[in-house]
Amino acid sequence: MTTAWRCSHIASRHELRRFATSARRREIRSIAELPPRIYPGFRETSNHDLLALQWPAPPRNILFVRKNDDAPVQNALNEYTHHVKSTYPDTNLVFEPDVAKQIHEAFDFPVYTVTGDDTHVPYHEKVDLTTTLGGDGTILHAASLFATATSVPPVLSFSMGTLGFLGEWKFPDYKRAFRDVYVSGHPSSLHATHPLSTPTDGGSGPTTTSSAWPSSSPSLRGKSMGPTRAARVLMRNRLRIGIFSPTGARLPHEPPFAHPSPTQAQTPTNPNNNPTNQDIFALNEVLLHRGATPHLAHLTILIGSPPHQRTLTTAIADGFLISTPTGSTAYSLSAGGSIVHPLVSSLLLTPICPRSLSFRPLVLPANTPVTLRIEAGNRGKEIEVSVDGVRRRQGLRAGMEVRVMGEEVRKPGTRDWRGGVPSIVRSGGVMAEGEDHWVGGLNGLLKFNYPFGEEG
């Protein structure tokens, strides 16, 4: 009897122990379950070309984008995500589907991703902040996840790639960098002359009219940035791209740039989801190229919009690039194009190996409509089209057009920033100009005008 009672008592204790111990929640959920996206504001400063980031409430839904097939990056991602969730417990971690499948077993909390079922919700409806670990290609890939959205969440990038010209932060600084972005906009970190009651909406999202910061939160305790500090933002312009048939009919874009289905109607809380707007956005460039065919491409370049559209020239070349200032240090630079500062609102037209020696690169205002038309004299069957390095599976035939113009990043006549890619940059001071990292990148990474025969 005593032995039976003892066994029963031990079993009961084990059952109580199992009941008291919470199970590890290794699960993947749809981002449809997340709260709606928080749209930040961007405040201009009197003596700084960069913008000041202002969150109306703490960011909650954080998208992590990593470089693939890189063990150090994967280890860094594990360290980074555990820090964010443990230090800022109200945050939700969002990953791309493949990454979520690989990483969710390491967490005792659910992770979120997009799903392919009927409840599919695009990233731009839920993601408050995007953070990348990798090189420039990783940043371009992260931007492509929002290629159909008119408003992109801020991007915090850590340089862990080959070049890292666009990446502003070194990974060892991730705790300070994330803290500075997270609390940017907290009432204690804003100057009294810039209250949170009148921020710009930072995009096409709902305008914030009051602060929603909690009065007391463990995530904010001890993290004030001071009375006048806020994270600095460089607003990078994008290209707006449409593809048209010979009859002028707009053609749909292919994945990963496909738009939501027409059944997903635009609503006040879902301003980006407009089925009638089928243009996509590119951070670097759009490329038309002859591809594998041995014949040069014949492309007519038209400037302006009808009825004031004028023919610039017919390019006979391997291909043609239209780039943003951000893309001026990418393919365009290798093709002989100019280097343009990202704050200069412009379009770059760069021929690739043109037949004529007098065909030089051009720089146009960003609001200039540019049309590239495939000529009937083009001897190749198709012209390949790539957007930010992603090639369209179906090429363009004679008579088809690619229409491009710069994205409108500011609402005309106002100070409301409505487009672009808000890139978090390092700042040298509170309201000071700080270090221009674009110049540092030219000298340190691209070795601008570097003398031959010198080590460095």
Side-chain angles (χ1 to χ4, degrees):
M1 179 66 70
T2 302
T3 303
W5 178 88
R6 183 177 301 165
C7 292
S8 175
H9 180 67
I10 293 175
S12 299
R13 282 195 303 170
H14 280 300
E15 288 183 6
L16 288 173
R17 186 177 303 168
R18 285 198 299 269
F19 179 80
T21 303
S22 60
R24 292 175 62 86
R25 301 175 62 185
R26 301 184 180 95
E27 57 180 319
I28 302 175
R29 295 181 179 178
S30 169
I31 64 172
E33 303 178 27
L34 293 175
R37 173 182 167 186
I38 296 174
Y39 289 82
F42 303 103
R43 175 169 54 84
E44 296 180 3
T45 56
S46 59
N47 60 344
H48 206 296
D49 289 329
L50 304 177
L51 303 173
L53 174 67
Q54 294 184 354
W55 293 108
R60 298 167 296 188
N61 308 327
I62 316 299
L63 171 63
F64 294 84
V65 181
R66 66 163 195 200
K67 178 182 179 181
N68 290 328
D69 303 321
D70 190 298
V73 170
Q74 180 58 52
N75 293 335
L77 179 65
N78 292 338
E79 178 182 344
Y80 185 24
T81 50
H82 277 93
H83 166 75
V84 169
K85 189 63 179 179
S86 61
T87 310
Y88 309 89
D90 295 333
T91 57
N92 304 300
L93 275 54
V94 183
F95 302 92
E96 295 180 83
D98 291 343
V99 178
K101 292 178 182 178
Q102 298 174 13
I103 202 172
H104 77 281
E105 289 286 347
F107 301 130
D108 57 358
F109 50 84
V111 299
Y112 298 84
T113 189
V114 295
T115 57
D117 55 22
D118 294 336
T119 62
H120 171 71
V121 174
Y123 289 109
H124 62 251
E125 291 186 21
K126 298 293 184 178
V127 173
D128 302 330
L129 172 69
T130 300
T131 181
T132 69
L133 289 83
D136 294 349
T138 306
I139 297 175
L140 288 178
H141 173 68
S144 73
L145 300 177
F146 303 90
T148 62
T150 57
S151 176
V152 180
V155 180
L156 174 63
S157 302
F158 296 95
S159 180
M160 301 185 70
T162 305
L163 183 61
F165 187 75
L166 302 181
E168 284 284 340
W169 298 84
K170 300 298 182 183
F171 182 71
D173 299 327
Y174 74 89
K175 293 182 180 179
R176 179 174 69 89
F178 189 88
R179 177 203 63 201
D180 289 355
V181 174
Y182 184 87
V183 301
S184 187
H186 188 274
S188 64
S189 65
L190 297 178
H191 196 272
T193 59
H194 298 284
L196 265 177
S197 57
T198 57
T200 60
D201 67 357
S204 57
T207 300
T208 304
T209 58
S210 62
S211 174
W213 287 88
S215 57
S216 177
S217 171
S219 301
L220 302 174
R221 194 170 298 129
K223 297 181 175 63
S224 173
M225 295 174 65
T228 58
R229 293 185 60 188
R232 290 289 180 257
V233 170
L234 170 63
M235 196 67 71
R236 296 186 180 273
N237 297 46
R238 297 184 294 176
L239 300 177
R240 189 171 191 142
I241 304 166
I243 300 178
F244 296 81
S245 72
T247 62
R250 185 185 294 271
L251 300 178
H253 292 277
E254 297 176 347
F257 303 121
H259 278 255
S261 65
T263 58
Q264 294 176 303
Q266 185 181 20
T267 64
T269 58
N270 182 14
N272 291 293
N273 208 3
N274 185 356
T276 64
N277 175 15
Q278 292 296 311
D279 287 341
I280 61 171
F281 299 94
L283 179 59
N284 256 14
E285 76 258 324
V286 56
L287 164 68
L288 274 69
H289 198 274
R290 64 181 177 86
T293 64
H295 307 293
L296 295 178
H298 291 237
L299 306 171
T300 292
I301 305 167
L302 303 104
I303 305 296
S305 300
H308 306 293
Q309 192 175 58
R310 299 289 299 274
T311 299
L312 175 66
T313 187
T314 295
I316 302 177
D318 278 354
F320 200 81
L321 283 161
I322 302 181
S323 307
T324 64
T326 297
S328 70
T329 53
Y331 198 166
S332 177
L333 178 62
S334 299
S338 301
I339 300 176
V340 180
H341 195 283
L343 289 175
V344 179
S345 182
S346 56
L347 298 179
L348 286 77
L349 279 60
T350 309
I352 301 174
C353 299
R355 187 175 67 177
S356 172
L357 295 179
S358 62
F359 194 173
R360 311 308 304 160
L362 298 175
V363 179
L364 301 177
N367 61 354
T368 304
V370 179
T371 299
L372 303 180
R373 179 186 298 158
I374 314 301
E375 279 300 300
N378 191 71
R379 297 176 63 186
K381 293 180 60 177
E382 291 184 344
I383 295 294
E384 292 185 357
V385 181
S386 297
V387 177
D388 278 351
V390 179
R391 183 169 63 89
R392 179 182 168 92
R393 290 193 297 270
Q394 184 176 0
L396 303 186
R397 297 179 179 270
M400 301 178 72
E401 295 180 348
V402 176
R403 302 176 188 175
V404 183
M405 69 181 303
E407 177 186 18
E408 189 178 73
V409 297
R410 179 186 286 180
K411 188 176 180 179
T414 71
R415 294 186 176 182
D416 290 347
W417 295 84
R418 61 189 298 173
V421 177
S423 303
I424 310 296
V425 300
R426 302 173 70 98
S427 180
V430 174
M431 289 293 183
E433 293 183 359
E435 179 186 353
D436 191 328
H437 295 274
W438 182 80
V439 174
L442 287 185
N443 293 328
L445 296 174
L446 298 184
K447 305 297 182 184
F448 182 72
N449 195 31
Y450 200 77
F452 289 103
E454 293 189 12
E455 297 181 0

